[in-house]
Amino acid sequence: MATDKITVHGAGVFGLSIAWVLTQRGAKVQVIDPYGIGAGASGGIVGALAPHVPENWNPKKQFQLESLLMAAAFWQQVEEAGGLSAGYARSGRVQPIADVAALALASAREDTAKTLWGEVAHWKVRPIEDQEWCAPSATGLEIHDTLSGRIHPKQACAALAAALLERGVEVVEDGPETPLTVHATGVAGLEALNANHSRLVGAGIKGQAALLGFARPDAPQLFADTLHIIPHADGTTAIGSTTERDYGDPARTDAQLDDIIARARAAVPALADAPVLARWAGLRPRSRSRAPMLGAWPDRPGHFIANGGFKIGFGMAPKVAHVMADLILEGRNMIPQGFEVAASL
């Protein structure tokens, strides 16, 4: 095991999760972020831990499956250590089935889920069970999967920071250089990489989301009209999100969010009168390959990159943290080939 202190740049979910696992394994860690905890995409409000569909299996989908299965133990340890809730639950997800073609596709995926997910989770076609927590469906049927979960992103970052603080690790604005350094700096990190390469390494993709005053904390998340609708443990419900490649102010909400709110109310009548408590906009880091960028930074000995979480960063974080710790502390590279930093540079 490395004995020198390790610096983690970035207090988003990747940086904090990696710092947490490194600390759990006995490493000395400092976390540096001049903007504070969850200042970027990780400070959002949606938190849909939704799996890829069970078909056309690949290493990315397998990695995500394993990470989602690790999530319950990971977040329980974080909450027990720091005393703050991350808002995590493996609450499942329901999706209305609109027509015969969608039913055929959903049924085929039910069969492949049995092979790909095994007994750890299911993907089932069933009659709509909760007429109040659903979207209208001409077939009267829905998909129910038990792999999906939910988390409150901003609260989860705070929970990780609290757990680290209990281990003596603070998030600071600046600190000394160390022989081992992890760069988990999100959009800013991708922009810095772009400046030093002839082709695009990654970019920030804007998203907008809303938080409604509607309490269904024990309900599954809903996926309807391409929207993620997430009942949080604190009695709120999040709706998101847009995917914007062209934008002006990355932190400003606009009519596109108004449209999302209107569509959510139309899709789920139970939300019709729920007040809007908060509006959020921000940039999410997406690598050119759309997979996370993980591993050693080529030509920079002792430096590592963990970036590109985009929409699945919180779902990937538990396993990302462990494979990065394996690499940094033990030299074991368990990172899928398509995730390797060199593949995106």
Side-chain angles (χ1 to χ4, degrees):
M1 176 186 291
T3 57
D4 292 316
K5 180 175 281 190
I6 301 168
T7 296
V8 177
H9 285 286
V13 68
F14 274 10
L16 291 170
S17 296
I18 292 166
W20 169 242
V21 172
L22 289 172
T23 302
Q24 282 186 304
R25 297 194 190 182
K28 299 176 182 178
V29 178
Q30 66 174 355
V31 181
I32 297 174
D33 194 314
Y35 305 104
I37 298 160
S42 294
I45 56 178
V46 178
L49 307 183
H52 292 285
V53 294
E55 63 184 14
N56 300 324
W57 210 240
N58 58 39
K60 179 180 179 180
K61 292 184 178 184
Q62 181 64 29
F63 190 99
Q64 186 197 43
L65 170 64
E66 293 170 6
S67 191
L68 289 173
L69 294 175
M70 295 168 64
F74 180 89
W75 291 110
Q76 182 180 355
Q77 290 172 358
V78 168
E79 291 176 350
E80 289 176 351
L84 295 182
S85 171
Y88 170 80
R90 185 171 155 183
S91 51
R93 177 178 58 171
V94 292
Q95 306 173 59
I97 299 174
D99 51 37
V100 173
L103 175 59
L105 184 59
S107 298
R109 288 170 174 169
E110 181 175 348
D111 291 336
T112 55
K114 294 175 184 177
T115 300
L116 299 170
W117 293 358
E119 299 298 320
V120 297
H122 73 240
W123 169 293
K124 297 284 188 183
V125 173
R126 70 181 190 185
I128 291 175
E129 291 196 353
D130 187 341
Q131 296 298 325
E132 293 184 356
W133 186 245
C134 67
S137 168
T139 65
L141 301 171
E142 65 186 6
I143 300 162
H144 176 240
D145 85 72
T146 60
L147 182 56
S148 294
R150 63 112 197 274
I151 200 163
H152 192 297
K154 188 173 183 178
Q155 293 176 11
C157 288
L160 279 163
L164 285 164
L165 188 58
E166 284 297 310
R167 298 289 183 94
V169 180
E170 294 185 69
V171 177
V172 296
E173 293 184 4
D174 199 2
E177 294 295 320
T178 56
L180 297 174
T181 303
V182 180
H183 301 264
T185 48
V187 172
L190 292 179
E191 291 175 346
L193 290 169
N194 288 337
N196 291 299
H197 289 81
S198 58
R199 61 178 182 172
L200 184 73
V201 177
I205 306 296
K206 183 178 177 180
Q208 299 185 51
L211 198 65
L212 303 186
F214 184 83
R216 285 297 300 269
D218 297 324
Q221 60 174 283
L222 263 170
F223 186 72
D225 192 17
T226 72
L227 300 176
H228 293 281
I229 302 171
I230 314 298
H232 283 306
D234 63 359
T236 62
T237 295
I239 299 167
S241 61
T242 62
T243 300
E244 304 171 45
R245 294 166 182 81
D246 298 315
Y247 50 83
D249 185 345
R252 181 180 178 181
T253 62
D254 55 32
Q256 294 185 76
L257 181 55
D258 296 332
D259 176 65
I260 278 183
I261 295 169
R263 285 165 50 205
R265 295 190 195 280
V268 185
L271 299 175
D273 298 320
V276 178
L277 303 179
R279 297 163 66 94
W280 181 90
L283 297 181
R284 298 160 297 180
R286 189 181 75 181
S287 71
R288 180 166 44 82
S289 70
R290 301 196 179 194
M293 293 173 57
L294 307 175
W297 191 332
D299 303 321
R300 292 195 66 182
H303 289 256
F304 304 84
I305 292 175
N307 206 324
F310 192 36
K311 295 182 178 181
I312 57 175
F314 277 86
M316 292 285 207
K319 190 166 178 65
V320 164
H322 279 279
V323 298
M324 289 298 291
D326 289 341
L327 180 63
I328 295 164
L329 298 179
E330 303 173 24
R332 290 194 299 125
N333 188 351
M334 306 300 291
I335 298 167
Q337 186 175 1
F339 290 18
E340 291 278 3
V341 173
S344 295
L345 296 182

